[in-house]
Amino acid sequence: MINFFYRLRFRVGCGKICSLWNHIIRHLFGLIFPVYCSLTKPKYGLNREKRNEEIIISLTSFPARLNVVHLCIRGLLMQSLKPDRIMLWLTEEECKNIKLPKKIEELKKYGLEICYAKENLRPHNKLYYTMKENPDAVIITVDDDIVYDTRLVEVLYNAYKENPDCVCCNLAHEITLKNGLPDEYDNWRGGAIGKSGKSDLFVALGFCGVLYPPNCFDNEYFDYKLIKDLALSADDLWLKATELRLNIPVNKVNENTKYPFSVRQSQKSALGKENNGMKRNDIIMKKLCNYYKFDWTNLK
C-alpha cells in the first residue's frame, strides 16, 4: 500500500504541474493510511536471522507527536529488509510521567523498543543515544512524522555495502562557498537535485533517512557540552562538522529523490522553520566554522 503511493509521486524539483500532483497524492495518502492502519494489524517487523552486523532504526519523539508516531512506526515494521531493532527515544523530562497512547504501547510486541533519555538533546536524541549504546551497529535515523517507503532500509544498506566509508542518505543539501567559507544557508543547493555520489559538501537531511556506519564517530561527537554550546537545535550541522572533522564523506544515493509522506495533523515542530527563518542555521554554521577552522577550499 505504501509503495503504491510512492510510485505515484514525482521526484523533488519536477515542476509546477508535478508538484501539484504530488500535493494531491500526499493529501490522499494522509487520508487513507491512518484508516488502513486502523483496519489492519501490524506484523512482527524485526529480523529473525543471523547477520554479521546489527541494523538499528532509531527515532525520537515528544509529547505533541505521540498521537501520530505509531503511523511512522507501522511503516518501519513493513521494511523489505528487516532491521534488528527499532528504537524510539523519548526524554524523561517530557515523557517519563505521562501515559503513552495505547497505539504505541501495542507496537512493542511487534518489535518496537521505547527508551528514555535522561538528557534532552532535542533533535540529536535520535542518533546520539542509540550510537552511544550500540557503536558496532549500522544505524538508520528517521523522523517521527514521516511514513517511509518500505524499501528505505534496503536502499540505504545496499548503498552502505558499496560505500562502507560513507554516511549514506536519500536527500542532501549541497554547501556552496563564498570567499572560501560556506555561503548563507538559504543559498545552498537545496536537495542537491541532479547530483549523487560522495561529497564533503553534502549535508545529509535526516527527514529522508540517513545511515551511519558502525564505529564511524569518535568521543567528541558525544560531547553534550559542545553540542549545547554550538549546535543544540541543528543536529544536521553538528553531524556535518563531525563528518568533516573525521574525513567522512556523505554519499547521496539518488540523483532524483522523492519526498517522503508526512503524517497529517502531526503538530509539526517549527524547529526547521525557526532555524531557517531566523537565520539560526547561519549563526550555528558560523560557530562551528570558528571553532573547528575547516579548510573549505580543499574539500572534495
Side-chain angles (χ1 to χ4, degrees):
M1 184 265 188
I2 295 175
N3 285 0
F4 170 77
F5 276 92
Y6 268 100
R7 286 195 294 269
L8 294 177
R9 300 203 80 177
F10 289 97
R11 63 173 176 79
V12 175
C14 59
K16 291 184 179 179
I17 294 177
C18 296
S19 294
L20 176 60
W21 173 260
N22 282 346
H23 177 76
I24 294 170
I25 296 302
R26 182 175 69 247
H27 180 73
L28 288 174
F29 181 83
L31 292 173
I32 293 172
F33 186 68
V35 175
Y36 169 83
C37 289
S38 67
L39 297 177
T40 61
K41 285 188 175 182
K43 295 181 180 179
Y44 186 75
L46 301 186
N47 173 48
R48 297 179 185 270
E49 300 176 0
K50 289 184 178 180
R51 55 166 65 120
N52 292 331
E53 52 196 358
E54 194 175 41
I55 301 174
I56 301 176
I57 298 178
S58 184
L59 67 160
T60 188
S61 195
F62 57 99
R65 296 251 186 94
L66 292 180
N67 62 322
V68 295
V69 70
H70 68 280
L71 296 173
C72 167
I73 296 165
R74 285 290 297 266
L76 300 178
L77 293 170
M78 300 178 192
Q79 291 296 304
S80 58
L81 178 63
K82 301 296 184 186
D84 295 282
R85 301 171 72 183
I86 300 174
M87 302 179 72
L88 171 63
W89 283 96
L90 308 175
T91 62
E92 290 186 356
E93 68 176 20
E94 293 177 320
C95 302
K96 192 65 174 179
N97 296 317
I98 67 174
K99 184 176 177 62
L100 296 181
K102 184 179 179 181
K103 289 182 178 180
I104 298 178
E105 291 283 3
E106 287 179 341
L107 293 178
K108 290 195 289 187
K109 63 184 176 183
Y110 299 103
L112 176 66
E113 296 177 44
I114 300 174
C115 313
Y116 289 90
K118 292 184 178 180
E119 188 82 21
N120 187 0
L121 295 175
R122 302 179 70 189
H124 300 264
N125 292 339
K126 66 182 175 183
L127 177 62
Y128 183 97
Y129 293 106
T130 298
M131 184 174 282
K132 194 167 188 178
E133 291 186 1
N134 307 275
D136 297 327
V138 173
I139 300 172
I140 296 174
T141 61
V142 296
D143 278 8
D144 63 335
D145 62 339
I146 301 292
V147 179
Y148 290 91
D149 189 322
T150 59
R151 293 184 65 246
L152 173 77
V153 174
E154 181 183 348
V155 168
L156 289 176
Y157 189 72
N158 286 341
Y160 154 70
K161 296 301 287 185
E162 294 180 4
N163 300 275
D165 61 326
C166 294
V167 166
C168 297
C169 66
N170 283 307
L171 193 66
H173 287 333
E174 185 179 20
I175 299 171
T176 55
L177 302 181
K178 183 177 181 180
N179 300 323
L181 291 172
D183 199 353
E184 292 183 359
Y185 186 87
D186 288 343
N187 293 333
W188 293 2
R189 295 187 181 93
I193 297 169
K195 293 190 175 186
S196 63
K198 301 180 184 181
S199 175
D200 291 327
L201 293 174
F202 285 157
V203 178
L205 300 181
F207 79 96
C208 279
V210 183
L211 181 149
Y212 297 90
N215 300 294
C216 60
F217 294 159
D218 62 1
N219 287 336
E220 190 166 333
Y221 164 75
F222 298 102
D223 188 332
Y224 68 86
K225 185 179 185 304
L226 263 186
I227 290 174
K228 288 183 174 181
D229 290 344
L230 298 176
L232 181 59
S233 65
D235 60 322
D236 54 348
L237 299 184
W238 174 250
L239 287 162
K240 180 73 256 178
T242 301
E243 291 152 7
L244 289 173
R245 187 171 54 78
L246 299 175
N247 297 310
I248 301 172
V250 170
N251 175 35
K252 183 172 177 278
V253 176
N254 298 308
E255 291 183 2
N256 299 308
T257 306
K258 296 180 180 181
Y259 281 134
F261 288 109
S262 58
V263 175
R264 287 168 59 87
Q265 299 178 340
S266 60
Q267 300 182 44
K268 193 170 182 67
S269 168
L271 179 61
K273 294 179 181 178
E274 176 183 299
N275 282 348
N276 293 342
M278 300 180 69
K279 302 293 183 181
R280 290 191 180 176
N281 276 328
D282 292 323
I283 295 171
I284 292 168
M285 198 65 188
K286 188 174 182 180
K287 282 184 180 180
L288 291 167
C289 289
N290 289 339
Y291 187 84
Y292 284 115
K293 310 293 183 186
F294 297 121
D295 182 4
W296 291 93
T297 57
N298 287 323
L299 297 181
K300 298 180 182 179

